[in-house]
């Protein structure tokens, strides 16, 4: 394409490739969600509608980008793991960060009314995004352990804090003071002895955060082109299907994104999903 005398300004745009062969973690976080959650009346300590909306936006992102193999979310943040071999947008950093952040944000807004039917958005929310590169599976395991430990620490604090305020009649300033310097065991004790709350019996969603993975859909349950589930799943496809259908026989199994609320610090989660940390 012919250039103009102005075209040279393009040369100021520098390439920003991410190192090949490394794991990418993309994390986004709500901008000023302390305020956003106040203005939109989030229930404290955990507004379940808001958490489900975050999960849904993350699912939308994962469904559009097959290089994402895992996602973990808590509060106003989500982390996404992209496989080592990902070549998405030629691994251009700002292209990936801006596109994923923007898709998540627009999905959050797009689906807002489904989760908050009685509370119109008062202003457009935004998220920041970043990518961190990690050389090996060890750091990836530790990264996700770090985030889930953070979920636990924050949730224990917030649960105790809001019990002191909502049931204990303390002001927020008093509740902060009550909790100052307390260790985890003491918070469990306050919850149990003063408010009869067994922390470990709370919803796993708030204690463990949300983990999104791809799970294989069993062949039998995939509907055919007429929307019907095949009635004879054991029949070899070749013997019944016309050649036009045989041509489209999938080589990769179909998957769907599922939301779990489970431990991702121990080995079990990873041992049963070796594909997450493979190339
Ligand atoms: P920054 O812009 O620096 O991220 P922030 O105000 O978003 O500032 P965070 O540390 O990200 O601060 O914390 C997010 C805050 O949003 C939480 O402390 C909490 O007050 C609120 N929040 C997020 N999700 C929920 C939820 N599901 N229920 C209740 N409150 C929530
Ligand atoms: P990329 O993701 O690489 O940016 P793209 O499809 O967005 O790919 P662009 O070079 O950004 O490609 O071009 C945007 C295209 O969107 C235009 O070529 C045009 O086809 C379409 N488009 C954008 N705005 C308008 C508009 N106001 N009216 C009609 N078409 C538009
Ligand atoms: Mg932040
Ligand atoms: Mg935030
Ligand atoms: Mg946050
Ligand atoms: Mg464009």
């Amino acid at each position: 394409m012919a250039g103009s005398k102005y075209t040279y300004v393009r040369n100021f745009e520098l390439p920003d490739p991410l190192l090949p062969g490394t794991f990418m973690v993309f994390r986004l976080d709500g901008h000023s969600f302390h305020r956003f959650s106040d203005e939109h009346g989030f229930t404290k300590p955990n507004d379940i509608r808001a958490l489900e909306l975050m999960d849904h936006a993350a699912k939308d992102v994962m469904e559009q980008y097959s290089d994402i193999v895992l996602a973990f979310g808590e509060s106003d943040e989500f982390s996404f793991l992209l496989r080592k071999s990902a070549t998405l947008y030629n691994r251009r950093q700002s292209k990936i960060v801006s596109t994923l952040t923007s898709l998540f944000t627009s999905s959050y807004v797009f689906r807002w009314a489904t989760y908050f039917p009685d509370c119109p958005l008062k202003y457009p929310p935004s998220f920041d995004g970043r990518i961190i590169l990690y050389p090996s599976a060890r750091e990836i395991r530790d990264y996700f352990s770090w985030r889930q430990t953070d979920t636990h620490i924050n949730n224990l604090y917030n649960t105790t804090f809001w019990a002191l305020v909502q049931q204990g009649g303390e002001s927020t300033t008093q509740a902060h003071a009550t909790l100052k310097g307390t260790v985890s065991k003491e918070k469990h004790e306050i919850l149990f002895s003063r408010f009869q709350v067994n922390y470990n019996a709370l919803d796993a969603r708030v204690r463990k955060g949300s983990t999104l993975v791809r799970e294989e859909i069993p062949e039998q349950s995939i509907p055919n082109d007429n929307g019907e589930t095949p009635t004879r799943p054991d029949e070899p496809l070749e013997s019944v299907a016309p050649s036009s259908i045989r041509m489209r026989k999938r080589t990769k199994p179909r998957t769907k994104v599922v939301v779990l609320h489970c431990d991702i610090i121990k080995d079990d989660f990873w041992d049963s999903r070796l594909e997450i940390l493979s190339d």
Side-chain angles (χ1 to χ4, degrees):
M1 201 169 69
S4 68
K5 66 172 178 173
Y6 307 118
T7 309
Y8 80 97
V9 297
R10 185 75 209 253
N11 299 332
F12 285 67
E13 288 185 21
L14 300 179
D16 60 350
L18 291 159
L19 194 71
T22 50
F23 290 103
M24 271 183 227
V25 170
F26 164 67
R27 182 173 76 249
L28 49 75
D29 183 287
H31 171 68
S32 286
F33 260 48
H34 191 79
R35 171 180 172 223
F36 182 81
S37 62
D38 274 351
E39 298 241 9
H40 294 86
F42 284 16
T43 53
K44 298 289 177 175
N46 293 294
D47 190 304
I48 301 300
R49 300 165 299 177
L51 294 173
E52 287 176 349
L53 172 57
M54 290 288 292
D55 292 351
H56 205 149
K59 193 164 174 257
D60 287 338
V61 171
M62 236 172 127
E63 277 168 357
Q64 281 205 34
Y65 290 90
S66 59
D67 282 323
I68 300 173
V69 290
L70 172 71
F72 176 77
E74 55 152 329
S75 180
D76 67 340
E77 70 167 63
F78 245 97
S79 299
F80 298 85
L81 173 65
L82 283 83
R83 64 174 94 254
K84 265 175 138 171
S85 57
T87 53
L88 178 63
Y89 301 133
N90 291 323
R91 295 178 77 94
R92 288 156 57 202
Q93 173 153 231
S94 54
K95 180 89 181 181
I96 300 172
V97 170
S98 58
T99 313
L100 296 188
T101 308
S102 149
L103 176 60
F104 185 96
T105 307
S106 68
S107 172
Y108 189 93
V109 171
F110 186 67
R111 301 194 185 281
W112 173 265
T114 307
Y115 292 88
F116 289 87
D118 305 320
C119 174
L121 275 171
K122 292 187 180 169
Y123 61 89
S126 60
F127 291 81
D128 69 52
R130 72 195 68 184
I131 282 180
I132 313 104
L133 293 181
Y134 290 108
S136 76
R138 182 72 262 155
E139 290 86 16
I140 296 301
R141 285 284 306 266
D142 289 345
Y143 175 86
F144 284 97
S145 297
W146 173 53
R147 294 328 299 150
Q148 194 166 53
T149 304
D150 189 76
T151 306
H152 170 72
I153 293 169
N154 289 337
N155 190 58
L156 179 60
Y157 185 94
N158 292 336
T159 304
T160 318
F161 177 88
W162 287 104
L164 288 167
V165 172
Q166 291 165 348
Q167 285 128 263
E170 294 190 9
S171 69
T172 53
T173 315
Q174 281 171 320
H176 276 302
T178 306
L179 291 179
K180 199 161 187 252
T182 56
V183 296
S184 157
K185 193 162 173 274
E186 292 164 300
K187 292 186 192 75
H188 280 279
E189 190 53 34
I190 293 174
L191 280 175
F192 195 70
S193 60
R194 292 183 55 182
F195 306 108
Q196 292 77 53
V197 171
N198 174 4
Y199 181 81
N200 296 319
L202 296 181
D203 190 356
R205 170 186 283 282
V206 300
R207 287 181 300 112
K208 302 288 180 199
S210 294
T211 300
L212 277 61
V213 290
R214 295 183 196 282
E215 272 184 5
E216 263 182 45
I217 306 174
E219 279 295 310
Q220 295 94 307
S221 63
I222 298 174
N224 63 21
D225 291 346
N226 305 320
E228 303 155 339
T229 303
T231 47
R232 288 184 299 168
D234 295 331
E235 190 89 19
L237 190 59
E238 285 75 9
S239 70
V240 290
S243 58
S244 61
I245 292 180
R246 239 185 288 149
M247 295 276 288
R248 292 188 285 112
K249 210 183 147 193
R250 287 175 303 279
T251 47
K252 274 194 208 161
R254 275 216 221 164
T255 59
K256 63 170 190 251
V257 175
V258 295
V259 183
L260 311 170
H261 310 291
C262 64
D263 183 288
I264 57 169
I265 298 174
K266 295 196 202 84
D267 292 338
D268 293 13
F269 173 82
W270 305 89
D271 288 349
S272 57
R273 294 178 181 81
L274 295 175
E275 70 283 359
I276 292 178
L277 293 174
S278 69
D279 289 350

